Amino acid sequence: MFDTPKDWCWELERTKGSVKYKTVSVNEDYRICERLPAYFVVPGPLLEEDVRRFQGHGIPIWCWSCHNGSALLKMSALPKEQDDGALQIQKNFLDGIYKTIHRPPYEIVKTEDLSSNFLSLQEIQNAYCKFKQLFLIDNSTEFWDTDIKWFSLLESSSWLDIIRRCLKKAIEITECLEAQNMNVLLLEENASDLCCLLSSLVQVMMDPHCRTRTGFQSLIQKEWVMGCHSFLDRCNHLHQNDKEEVPVFLLFLDCVWQLVHQYPPAFEFTETFLTVLSDSLYIPIFSTFFFNSPHQKDTNMGRKSVNPQSKPLTLLTVWDWSVQFEPKAQTLLRNPLYVEKPKLDRGQRKGSRFKHQRQLSLPLTQSKSSPKRGFFREETDHLIKNLLGKRISKLINSSDEFQDNSREFYDNWHSKPTDYHGLLLPHIEGPEIKVWAQRYLRWIPEAQILGGGRMATMSKLLEMMEEVQSLQEKIDAKPHRQEAVHTQAPCLLRNSARLSSLFPFALLQRHSSKPVLPTSGWKALGGEDDLAKREDEFVDLGDV
Amino acid sequence: MASASISKYNSHSLENESIKMVSQDGVSQDLSENVPQLPGETLITDKEVIYICPFNGPIKGRVYITNYRLYLRSLETDSSLILDVPLGVISRIEKMGGATSRGENSYGLDITCKDLRNLRFALKQEGHSRRDMFEILTRYAFPLAHSLPLFAFLNEEKFNVDGWSVYNPLAEYRRQGLPDRHWRITFINKCYELCDTYPALLVVPYRTSDDDLRRVAVFRSRNRIPVLSWIHPENKMVIMRCSQPLVGMSGKRNKDDEKYLDVIRETNKQLSKLTIYDARPSVNAVANKATGGGYESDDAYQNAELSFLDIHNIHVMRESLKKVKDIVYPNIEESHWLSSLESTHWLEHIKLVLTGAIQVADKVSSGKSSVLVHCSDGWDRTAQLTSLAMLMLDSFYRTIEGFEILVQKEWISFGHKFASRIGHGDKNHADADRSPIFLQFIDCVWQMSKQFPTAFEFNERFLITILDHLYSCRFGTFLFNCESAREKQKVTERTVSVWSLINSNKDKFKNPFYTKEINRVLYPVASMRHLELWVNYYIRWNPRIKQQQPNPVEQRYMELLALRDDYIKKLEELQLANSAKLSDPPASPSSPSQMMPHVQTHF
């Protein structure tokens, strides 16, 4: 996927981005850069020689186009130069690039510098290490000892807060694209870590296609695999360099899980899909998440090998789920709550503006917060620079609080009923960000709810779907044959009420119905001691 | 009991319910122009005010005050805000700002509510409008201080179901298989002469005479003797409840009490010791000796084994809930949500209550021994423990009516002091007797229903509705401290039961995922990893937290259910058509609906 120009063209067509953006093949055989895929998409007027100039650095690469024509772009930084002359050359080059995309028909660009204004990779790694530790529990005693301070332990890992910040940033970017009609250019050293995370997260929120299974898989191919995320180093598959290990992709999956958890009907796949996907990251029989770049993969797998003598390596792709799961088990990856978008749009969606229709002509009414540049106006350049300067300076002052625009956008969206086939914004209030329990609690027997958990409702749903399906089959068969189709669809989850909350992972069922009991005692109440010592009601029972 | 036809009164009350649903501080779609009025409700006054919404800023509106509610409708065109607050929910009314106040909207009223929110209204300084509103609100929110009746006594609502008939103690004990060879029903407390906070009807060991009971009563705080709450249908282990023994500093003993506990132990053939769970932390139990209370010592009760469950008292719980309010209202603590939540200790208390109940349930279910539960007086923590253990053990209590019976039995009839704990119609907002013990119990039930989403017939709305009417004073159910007081006030004759409201429209309160499972014991996992703050209740006023309603998972399931029924109907029609072709047409064509019941039975 996305290893041929055709895939990119199709994606451009799908998002109606082909008017302004084009697929280039200058990097075929990785002639220019090993940290770029063979084919990618850039703004239409960008010259091929510009791509070559700094080995593919410093050029805006297209990620996705919004229905209103604004696009999400990413760009890697130019190599750091000490020399003033070289710096000047770089500056001029960048100015030229910016000019290219600042000119109509492009919307104004907001730059998001992810290397300086956002999370650091080190922070992510540290947080995850602490977080992971919380789930490596040896015995029952340890489980209950840590239970009493569970929330503060969770907080001190910062993992949930990092998830929250990612979701918040994604909301801000979404607001720019959706409400302000601005292009957003994500800037990062290599454009292959936080760029991948945010661009794909924004797409999951904005593009319902990315919430189908194939759409999500192709998103990961497009942004992560072809986006040269260094899976080999980041997952530390070879255990060679601990310093490079950062669970960026896992962080992305956790962010998506939050959305799946908050909006169950919006996704074609289940949390189980995300969990097994996260597991597959560490199964080295798959090529998908094994290399640092498509170049590395092609070199090692022999397809484009420089040395035709070397024996080509054959690895499987993760996306062939039948390798890992039999058909029955695969039904657990499909969300029974998901309903495909009805073909006929009866205008029930949250504002018809989410239709993937791009306005080609100049909109007559200007939305209040987005000073849209005119299609035909020439003197807007000045205005754009002005505005851009302001926006950027505003961005630099970014604090933990939302920008006013984003806050309004966020509140506004949440005040309306949710359209599961439209834009999706996560809740980011503290109580709404949760631990991905299925992934992290699954091997802890103490945390098992016998016969309960979300699985209990899900399996009821699946049962009902099966029943409906078999009824449908009977009806279809009826006119032709008197005998009804009696064969029940194979049922995976019969007697589901007795499944454990850890299903389908830990099948270690505690058959005894013995409850798990906390062993640790009460934590001191601190300043409330005198209250605690008081009697419920002051009544002297004296010599009754 | 399901409603076939809905009376006009009933539909009226439903209307009110729907208004209530949208009356959160968020956007409301209610367009009706009239102020909703229950039969018996009268409008007292109306005023133009500015409602200072903590989420959307000041909103100009007209407030209507009746003898039951405060109703506010926005007068601004871009806001359709409606507030509909039963006056019973008000715990405190304060004047803010004085004659010299200058700031905008700084002169008015600040109303603290029992359901974790505050309402602020700004009024004009001229014309005594604040004084009027203050006086009227005080009068009708705290009728007891003004020798006025609670609204429940004025409410003339009619329902097609009588909620008072839900609980019949005799029928409930009969359901449990009582009386039997070992247990008898005694009328010793018929006129509440043995114990004025106990119900009239009690179940005690067959071998113990009423005279024996009288002698035991002397040794139990407030005469709340050990009586049966629940008996296991197979192993015949029992859950007993009572108050603390009056041991005192000198370590007094009472032979009758000791013998009585032994008789309880011997009602089943098991020779193991009787388990006594004292809900309190041991230090508190010891400290209670100073005021004449205490606990069962090993020496005196050699056939019993006592353990403490470390659940704190009503004051600790009250402070804990206050802290919860601090972190969720009006703004949700942003930066350190988790540690703030932890510092409220609310979930920690929930964990301990659940843990205690699990222990009780496990002892009984495993057939190890019978259990005696008490705290100090046996009407707060004891009620929590026995009722939760019964909910875990007996699937009947997980149905709508079963749960109503459970509340009616373990809480209302056994004298949980609702009037003191909630302070119905009472102006003394700082009363140390107030405490959210019942709320904590409902929270525990919610945690269980969250962990076992298919095990309960009722949904979250059912629990929230109960809590809303715990405060509203619209129904008589939760009024007064004990059965004797309720009888004196003729509550069942003069007021409506909240179960009338619920049972006349049961569908609204049903959990579609409910799967009936008899004899299944539910053990929730009392771990912080699974306990969570009940956002839909505690943070429901915040529009940012507004949950997707209806619940999408439920909705999808209902769609599938409808589809299935549709298909079944179609299939039957096809079957009919086919059989019509094959054989002679039946004399009277049987309608598909006739065949429905048999298909539906397994659901």
Side-chain angles (χ1 to χ4, degrees), chain B residues 49-76:
Chain B
V49 297
I50 289 165
Y51 168 58
I52 303 166
C53 173
F55 311 109
N56 302 318
I59 294 164
K60 198 200 251 185
R62 180 162 288 276
V63 69
Y64 302 85
I65 299 169
T66 72
N67 53 354
Y68 171 64
R69 78 183 88 212
L70 179 155
Y71 186 86
L72 175 124
R73 187 182 298 120
S74 161
L75 293 173
E76 289 175 31

Side-chain angles (χ1 to χ4, degrees), chain B residues 437-460:
Chain B
I437 300 302
F438 186 72
L439 165 65
Q440 195 173 49
F441 159 70
I442 296 288
D443 194 333
C444 290
V445 176
W446 178 82
Q447 303 282 355
M448 281 181 70
S449 72
K450 192 90 180 132
Q451 293 193 14
F452 300 100
T454 61
F456 293 85
E457 193 196 4
F458 48 83
N459 57 18
E460 183 176 60

